[in-house]
Amino acid sequence: MSELTSVVTRLEASLVTPIGSSFPIESEPDVVAQLLALKRSPNTRRAYSKDIKDFFQVIVESEPTRDLVLEFLHLEQTQAVQLVLNYKAKLINKELKAATINRRLAALKSLTKIGRNIGVCNYTLENIPREKNQPYRDTTGVDKDAINRVFVLAEQVKKAKTHRSRLKGIRDYALLRLLWGNALRRGEISSSNISDFNFGAKTLLIIGKGSGGEKQKITLPPKSAIAISEWLLARGEDAIDAPLFTAVDNANYGKRLSGNAIYTMVDKLCVAAGIPKKMSPHRIRHSAITAALDATDGNIRKVQKLSRHKDINTVMTYDDNRSNDQDEMSQLLDDLI
């Protein structure tokens, strides 16, 4: 029996008493629960929970119970690294994207880190290398004419015969205004409350990516502020602690609109508007950032204020993909011969 097989066998049989535990059995810590409790973003919590679950299902074909997780954390350094490298190899064989593999490894590294902090783990996975990301990604989105067709369609829905359909149209139009006019992410919209919106000042408080849960104020263009105001008026909600955007279907009426629901809304509207490219809220964000670069002749500093990317090199990637300088230079060289 190989060392790896032995490790897996021990993990499978670990549901009674974890090896080497310094905690009494009745007070064994739920390390996964503690890890997720420290993550502010609901999206991060869901992703880490899913990634940790995937690891244990792939390696030992079991749910990550408290005791099974502890048994994993009680392994020796060489055993744990070998186990995770084997898992990484399986992910590579599935031809998963580098970003997905790196996120799953990050979840396991975070799990062992909190395990070390509370004294139930004596090893680290930090030396396990990340997969190299492909540096190029399509950030161009679609042009403003295509986006305009989506807005026209959303405006038509606002004139629907039934109240519920009109309400959905008014809401979706306001959502599109935020996705386009402020290049917001769907999670930033979903997490906002009515109290975060100030029509008089034309501002909205959002919890931006990497903000640590701190709200930041963004200025809204007039059309966006008016669209949100029309949605709130049509909805008839005035409780300031209520979600800014809610579902209007029968099954979920009044509940906070999820990021997935915003994704579905964008996808359906763009398909109906005849856009062949697969669209999402983030694709509209891409489109807005690219359009802003076009309109400002590539003013990266100004556009960074819109995109709120911490690293200006990210904005430069948008600019490079937009301008396609490589094609221009290649044609110049071609004309020389």
Side-chain angles (χ1 to χ4, degrees):
M1 180 181 293
S2 69
E3 182 181 20
L4 180 58
T5 304
S6 175
V7 171
V8 173
T9 301
R10 287 172 57 210
L11 282 169
E12 289 176 327
S14 67
L15 302 181
V16 179
T17 306
I19 297 172
S21 175
S22 59
F23 290 85
I25 189 66
E26 65 274 8
S27 62
E28 291 284 1
D30 187 335
V31 186
V32 174
Q34 292 192 35
L35 169 64
L36 299 181
L38 294 174
K39 301 300 177 183
R40 294 179 181 272
S41 167
N43 292 334
T44 302
R45 288 195 294 270
R46 283 192 293 269
Y48 271 34
S49 177
K50 179 181 177 181
D51 293 339
I52 292 170
K53 181 178 181 180
D54 182 78
F55 170 72
F56 283 95
Q57 286 181 333
V58 169
I59 294 300
V60 295
E61 299 180 354
S62 175
E63 294 290 313
T65 64
R66 180 195 63 177
D67 293 332
L68 191 57
V69 170
L70 283 168
E71 181 64 13
F72 168 65
L73 294 173
H74 292 318
L75 293 175
E76 298 296 326
Q77 173 88 29
T78 55
Q79 294 174 323
V81 169
Q82 186 179 4
L83 201 62
V84 175
L85 285 175
N86 181 65
Y87 172 65
K88 180 183 176 183
K90 291 178 183 293
L91 298 181
I92 293 173
N93 287 338
K94 290 181 181 179
E95 298 184 351
L96 297 183
K97 293 180 180 179
T100 301
I101 295 174
N102 290 336
R103 194 195 68 216
R104 292 185 180 176
L105 292 176
L108 295 175
K109 290 177 181 180
S110 294
L111 182 67
T112 56
K113 181 178 180 180
I114 193 171
R116 293 195 303 275
N117 289 342
I118 62 177
V120 296
C121 179
N122 294 317
Y123 64 83
T124 176
L125 301 175
E126 295 305 318
N127 289 332
I128 292 180
R130 291 165 49 88
E131 284 293 285
K132 290 185 178 180
N133 283 305
Q134 174 58 255
Y136 173 78
R137 61 185 180 122
D138 181 8
T139 60
T140 53
V142 294
D143 61 35
K144 61 182 180 180
D145 291 334
I147 294 294
N148 189 59
R149 293 203 305 272
V150 181
F151 273 100
V152 169
L153 182 61
E155 288 237 67
Q156 291 174 351
V157 178
K158 288 168 61 177
K159 302 173 184 177
K161 293 182 179 180
T162 66
H163 171 70
R164 191 63 58 88
S165 295
R166 285 198 305 274
L167 191 60
K168 182 180 185 304
I170 294 170
R171 183 202 66 187
D172 292 353
Y173 181 81
L175 283 166
L176 286 171
R177 277 289 167 197
L178 284 176
L179 291 169
W180 173 255
N182 286 91
L184 293 186
R185 302 174 177 91
R186 55 177 168 162
E188 294 167 342
I189 297 175
S190 176
S191 62
S192 293
N193 294 328
I194 291 178
S195 59
D196 296 322
F197 172 58
N198 186 323
F199 177 71
K202 292 182 175 52
T203 59
L204 180 68
L205 298 176
I206 62 168
I207 300 176
K209 182 179 179 181
S211 66
E214 295 294 325
K215 292 186 176 182
Q216 60 184 109
K217 184 185 295 184
I218 60 171
T219 302
L220 301 173
K223 290 180 181 178
S224 295
I226 292 171
I228 296 173
S229 182
E230 288 179 345
W231 151 246
L232 292 177
L233 183 64
R235 172 180 158 194
E237 175 64 69
D238 57 5
I240 61 172
D241 59 345
L244 183 60
F245 290 98
T246 57
V248 296
D249 59 285
N250 289 328
N252 301 292
Y253 192 88
K255 294 181 180 178
R256 183 181 297 276
L257 195 67
S258 68
N260 286 338
I262 297 173
Y263 180 98
T264 300
M265 178 273 290
V266 169
D267 180 50
K268 288 183 177 180
L269 271 176
C270 290
V271 169
I275 297 177
K277 190 170 189 174
K278 180 68 174 176
M279 293 296 290
S280 66
H282 218 68
R283 284 286 186 200
I284 293 183
R285 174 175 161 83
H286 287 334
S287 304
I289 294 171
T290 301
L293 285 165
D294 284 340
T296 61
D297 194 24
N299 191 320
I300 293 174
R301 287 292 182 185
K302 281 188 175 181
V303 175
Q304 187 184 22
K305 299 297 182 182
L306 168 74
S307 68
R308 291 165 288 111
H309 286 115
K310 290 184 178 180
D311 187 354
I312 198 168
N313 289 322
T314 305
V315 188
M316 290 180 68
T317 299
Y318 280 82
D319 195 43
D320 289 342
N321 293 345
R322 171 189 72 92
S323 56
N324 196 2
D325 290 333
Q326 174 267 312
D327 179 54
E328 180 183 343
M329 294 300 100
S330 293
Q331 290 193 40
L332 183 151
L333 290 170
D334 203 41
D335 291 341
L336 293 177
I337 302 299

